[in-house]
Amino acid sequence: MYDVGILTKLRYRYVPDHIIGELLTKRWMDNAIPFAALACLIAAIELAGLNFFAIDALFDLARQLAEFGLIALGLAIVMMSGGIDLSVGSVFALSALATLICINVYEQSVFVAFLTAMAVGGLCGAINGVLIGYSRIRAFLTTLVTLIIYRSIYELVFAKFSTAIMATMADSPTWDFLGYGTLFAVPVSFGIALIIAIGWHVVLSRMRFGWRLQAVGGARRSAFNAGIDVSLTIFSAYTASGLLCAVAGFLMAARLGSTGTDTGVGLEVQALTAVVLGGISLGGGRGSVSKASMGAIFVLVLTNGLISLGVTGPTASLILGLVLITAVYLDVRWLKNREKLLRSVYISPAYAQLPDLAKSRSDLGRTFEINDRLRSVEVIGLGEIESPEDVILDDNDDLYCGTRNGDIIRFFAPDYKRQELFAHIGGQPLGLAFDRIGNLIVCVAGMGLYQVAQDRIVSKLTDETNRSLTSIVDDSQLRLADDLDIAPDGRIFFSEATVRYGMHDWPVDALESRGNGRIICYDPTKGTTRTEIRGLIFPNGVCMCEDGQSFIYAETWACRITRYWFDGPKKGKSESVVENLPGYPDNINRASDGGFWLALVGMRSPALDLALRMPGFRRRMARQVARDNWIFPNINTGCIVKFTPQGEVVETLWDLGGINHPMVTSMREHKGCLFIGGISNNRIGRYTLERGRSDWTGMSSYWGRK
């Protein structure tokens, strides 16, 4: 028998390899490279002994960052929309010139000067927005032309007013305060820029405009088809860029009190270097304020460091150009290979060892001998429904099931030939249960826990739980709630099979066989949700025990059934009920004799059992082999198992040929019959039990109703 060393077992059980992949999924990971580059640059400057970070130098750097950071932010907003703005330097210069003309030449108030600068910057940005957003001229060509036009206007106006600007100095305490003042030991201009940056962070990450901006940048046609006004969004992005450049020009005018022929020259290259180096995608649809700010800091520190070292002119421009082309290369390569890298490291198989399968069958005796007892099952709704993963019956003997289309269908007793759409939820309904007053509680894949009231009104109960302190991914959101049961006091316990994968990626979770699942409790009286049990291997079926203080649950890939006490003297304790099943357990429900019915969705295979003890092999398979050729659990043939509360298997039902009921994910006993569901089926089965009780129903067992 294949086995591995103790170090390999420990390494794949306890070393959290999956953290690497989860880190790469985080949006802030795009900042890792620019942050590392900035840290190395700062370290190099310190080692050079330039005394670059003295208090006075830091104050001057903060004032420069206030201006340059706003320009970089404006360009970042445009690039997030899928465009580019090469005119930011010229708009910046024009706004600074307009401010100084108002202050120094016409002796207007600071407020009037600010409004003038904003009008100039906003007009320039709006012109770009109209040409690109509404006239649909290419952004690169448009802003290259407007760069020349705005620069020409600047030079013409500067030539006329330069002498008057230089000859007059504004006598305004407010003007001086904006240029050189501090507030709480922070330069005023830096504080203004910081407030603006925080505001834009909220807009881009929390508000509708930010979502639309990234949607337009990521896929313009798809955004249009989704109902987004693409032209208006692009226009707004360029207008915002112009306004931010205007604020930067206004602050620069306050700091220097003058302007020159070279103001803003080459600034577009510096800003472009900053945003690309910060991680703003050239392809659009990706970016943030923090990325733009980090890139701006890097470029400013690099530029000022070169000046301190005496590197100026063409050499400094050459270095900045090399940094830009390197940043562009890294951005293109990262966009191209990010998903490939993520796929290669995200799947993280754990070491798992199931007991020998042959030994298991010997221990369980003849109860698992294959039979065709389900061959005679009566078929309900053949070809009329898809994916009835779970089924349930009400007090009127009507039958309910979910479908792949997000519907809950009701079949009317007694012959179940007539049906109706009971409710439309949207996501695929999985686990079903009736509460005490007859509301249907539903686990919905990708959506959470929902309720369908007796008047058919659908409402969300919960779609999140408390987040784990040690989790990298946001595990507060429910991804795959799949089965549930209700305690006598109304608390709902439901399983979430995995926090790492969605419904259609269940085979990948099987490949990992890691404790990605959990049991969650929702308390309707308090409206609270909390995680009850963590670290389960694809928990699936949940069934309340008759003591009202415990429930049993299945772990599919671990092939075991466990009992857990949520109340009473044994609260918080677990106890094994059935170990080493020959198949993969799914839903569990009560039987009329006090036992439990269990669905085995598929049977174990020696190949997969062996692969579970070879995590390195599974890792290489996930990286090097096409997904269609991976070793997956077999879910084509399963059966129904009946076991006692003590874990003794007493009966099995098979349809070996898969003629009437090819696979099983759930079953419900009701008045002497067993109603059978299967997520890959297009029918529901009804099997008449040999020793079934014609007076027993699930509703009476749970709530005492006849």
Side-chain angles (χ1 to χ4, degrees):
M1 185 179 82
Y2 178 87
D3 201 359
V4 296
I6 185 65
L7 291 180
T8 302
K9 292 181 181 180
L10 294 175
R11 177 254 186 275
Y12 280 102
R13 274 183 178 169
Y14 300 111
V15 175
D17 300 275
H18 61 286
I19 288 179
I20 298 174
E22 290 175 354
L23 284 172
L24 289 176
T25 64
K26 308 301 290 185
R27 294 174 65 89
W28 49 260
M29 271 303 293
D30 290 342
N31 295 339
I33 294 177
F35 181 81
L38 179 60
C40 292
L41 177 62
I42 292 174
I45 289 176
E46 283 295 303
L47 291 175
L50 298 178
N51 197 27
F52 192 71
F53 297 103
I55 296 299
D56 292 341
L58 285 176
F59 268 63
D60 187 52
L61 180 66
R63 293 187 176 97
Q64 294 180 54
L65 180 61
E67 303 155 13
F68 183 64
L70 291 175
I71 297 171
L73 176 58
L75 180 56
I77 292 170
V78 168
M79 290 176 62
M80 288 173 65
S81 72
I84 193 169
D85 190 354
L86 300 178
S87 67
V88 290
S90 299
V91 176
F92 166 78
L94 264 178
S95 301
L97 179 61
T99 301
L100 290 171
I101 290 174
C102 286
I103 293 289
N104 289 5
V105 178
Y106 293 109
E107 298 182 352
Q108 298 294 315
S109 67
V110 174
F111 180 69
V112 172
F114 174 74
L115 291 181
T116 303
M118 296 298 289
V120 171
L123 178 61
C124 292
I127 292 172
N128 287 338
V130 169
L131 294 175
I132 298 168
Y134 290 99
S135 299
R136 300 183 181 180
I137 304 176
R138 293 188 178 276
F140 182 88
L141 178 62
T142 299
T143 55
L144 180 62
V145 171
T146 54
L147 177 155
I148 298 171
I149 293 174
Y150 298 157
R151 171 57 57 179
S152 299
I153 295 174
Y154 172 84
E155 292 177 352
L156 291 172
V157 176
F158 178 75
K160 181 178 180 180
F161 289 97
S162 59
T163 302
I165 291 174
M166 300 301 178
T168 308
M169 295 296 293
D171 185 16
S172 170
T174 304
W175 188 242
D176 295 336
F177 180 69
L178 289 172
Y180 297 100
T182 60
L183 191 63
F184 303 110
V186 175
V188 173
S189 58
F190 181 80
I192 294 172
L194 183 62
I195 293 172
I196 294 174
I198 292 173
W200 270 105
H201 169 74
V202 173
V203 170
L204 295 178
S205 62
R206 298 291 185 272
M207 298 181 69
R208 188 171 299 173
F209 174 76
W211 302 334
R212 290 178 175 176
L213 188 74
Q214 297 186 58
V216 169
R220 188 165 296 183
R221 182 176 295 276
S222 298
F224 175 80
N225 292 336
I228 297 175
D229 191 334
V230 174
S231 298
L232 178 61
T233 303
I234 295 173
F235 171 80
S236 302
Y238 280 94
T239 304
S241 175
L243 292 173
L244 289 170
C245 289
V247 177
F250 175 81
L251 294 177
M252 191 276 287
R255 178 170 62 90
L256 298 180
S258 64
T259 185
T261 56
D262 61 345
T263 299
V265 174
L267 192 57
E268 57 280 344
V269 176
Q270 292 182 339
L272 185 61
T273 303
V275 295
V276 174
L277 189 62
I280 309 295
S281 174
L282 287 169
R286 179 167 59 93
S288 66
V289 173
S290 61
K291 293 176 181 179
S293 302
M294 195 175 302
I297 294 172
F298 182 93
V299 169
L300 274 182
V301 170
L302 176 62
T303 304
N304 291 351
L306 291 174
I307 293 174
S308 299
L309 290 172
V311 180
T312 57
T315 305
S317 299
L318 174 63
I319 294 174
L320 196 63
L322 292 174
V323 171
L324 175 59
I325 197 169
T326 302
V328 171
Y329 173 79
L330 291 175
D331 177 72
V332 171
R333 299 299 296 177
W334 174 249
L335 283 178
K336 184 177 181 180
N337 297 297
R338 183 175 185 269
E339 289 301 323
K340 181 179 179 181
L341 174 64
L342 183 59
R343 286 195 302 269
S344 68
V345 299
Y346 191 81
I347 300 174
S348 176
Y351 177 82
Q353 182 173 3
L354 297 176
D356 182 71
L357 184 58
K359 181 180 178 182
S360 166
R361 289 193 176 184
S362 174
D363 288 345
L364 290 173
R366 298 177 60 84
T367 52
F368 274 97
E369 286 188 358
I370 295 173
N371 57 68
D372 276 325
R373 294 173 61 184
L374 292 181
R375 181 68 58 86
S376 61
V377 69
E378 177 188 346
V379 175
I380 298 172
L382 178 62
E384 299 174 357
I385 52 175
E386 292 185 63
S387 301
E389 197 272 348
D390 197 9
V391 294
I392 196 169
L393 295 99
D394 64 13
D395 283 327
N396 299 319
D397 303 333
D398 293 336
L399 173 65
Y400 301 76
C401 73
T403 72
R404 190 190 306 276
N405 301 321
D407 299 329
I408 295 179
I409 303 298
R410 174 163 61 180
F411 290 88
F412 291 98
D415 56 6
Y416 303 108
K417 292 182 179 180
R418 186 167 62 92
Q419 60 170 280
E420 69 169 359
L421 173 63
F422 180 69
H424 178 74
I425 295 182
Q428 180 165 357
L430 298 177
L432 306 172
F434 280 109
D435 65 12
R436 185 181 296 275
I437 63 175
N439 297 321
L440 183 60
I441 313 301
V442 188
C443 284
V444 186
M447 295 173 60
L449 191 67
Y450 278 70
Q451 172 184 283
V452 183
Q454 292 177 313
D455 57 5
R456 304 191 189 188
I457 295 177
V458 178
S459 58
K460 181 182 70 177
L461 298 181
T462 182
D463 62 356
E464 61 180 359
T465 183
N466 54 304
R467 181 170 181 172
S468 306
L469 295 178
T470 57
S471 176
I472 302 299
V473 298
D474 184 3
D475 64 352
S476 63
Q477 296 296 314
L478 303 181
R479 305 189 68 171
L480 189 51
D482 58 358
D483 195 33
L484 74 152
D485 212 349
I486 306 175
D489 62 1
R491 283 180 290 175
I492 302 170
F493 292 89
F494 62 98
S495 58
E496 184 177 29
T498 173
V499 299
R500 281 169 56 81
Y501 301 102
M503 177 176 176
H504 299 293
D505 288 325
W506 63 263
V508 186
D509 192 87
L511 190 70
E512 282 198 356
S513 289
R514 182 179 295 278
N516 297 328
R518 55 190 174 178
I519 303 290
I520 300 170
C521 174
Y522 171 73
D523 189 340
T525 60
K526 300 178 181 178
T528 58
T529 309
R530 60 178 177 81
T531 301
E532 188 77 20
I533 316 172
R534 300 184 188 275
L536 303 181
I537 302 175
F538 209 85
N540 208 330
V542 178
C543 184
M544 198 64 53
C545 297
E546 293 190 358
D547 63 358
Q549 298 179 345
S550 62
F551 58 81
I552 58 174
Y553 62 87
E555 290 178 89
T556 301
W557 313 135
C559 299
R560 64 189 176 208
I561 309 295
T562 305
R563 185 173 185 176
Y564 174 81
W565 278 264
F566 61 88
D567 212 345
K570 299 178 70 174
K571 182 178 180 179
K573 294 184 178 181
S574 297
E575 179 182 283
S576 175
V577 177
V578 182
E579 289 281 354
N580 196 26
L581 285 162
Y584 303 107
D586 204 300
N587 286 4
I588 309 172
N589 286 301
R590 290 181 183 179
S592 57
D593 61 0
F596 299 94
W597 294 105
L598 166 68
L600 294 185
V601 69
M603 306 309 293
R604 287 165 54 185
S605 66
L608 184 56
D609 281 7
L610 178 62
L612 290 178
R613 302 196 297 270
M614 304 168 64
F617 163 77
R618 289 170 14 239
R619 181 189 295 274
R620 292 190 298 273
M621 180 177 67
R623 292 178 177 178
Q624 302 173 12
V625 178
R627 181 166 173 169
D628 291 343
N629 296 322
W630 290 358
I631 299 177
F632 285 146
N634 165 38
I635 63 168
N636 294 324
T637 300
C639 70
I640 297 173
V641 177
K642 188 177 183 182
F643 64 93
T644 67
Q646 293 74 36
E648 179 186 359
V649 176
V650 295
E651 188 177 3
T652 56
L653 305 173
W654 297 77
D655 181 5
L656 182 60
I659 294 176
N660 273 344
H661 217 78
M663 63 96 66
V664 181
T665 55
S666 66
M667 67 278 105
R668 300 272 182 173
E669 183 176 347
H670 184 85
K671 292 188 176 181
C673 293
L674 205 59
F675 293 82
I676 310 167
I679 195 168
S680 296
N681 291 345
N682 64 348
R683 69 200 79 180
I684 296 172
R686 179 166 66 171
Y687 174 76
T688 302
L689 296 169
E690 296 176 0
R691 295 179 296 275
R693 288 175 49 187
S694 61
D695 62 338
W696 190 92
T697 69
M699 296 291 283
S700 65
S701 175
Y702 276 84
W703 313 118
R705 299 213 293 270
K706 299 295 184 181

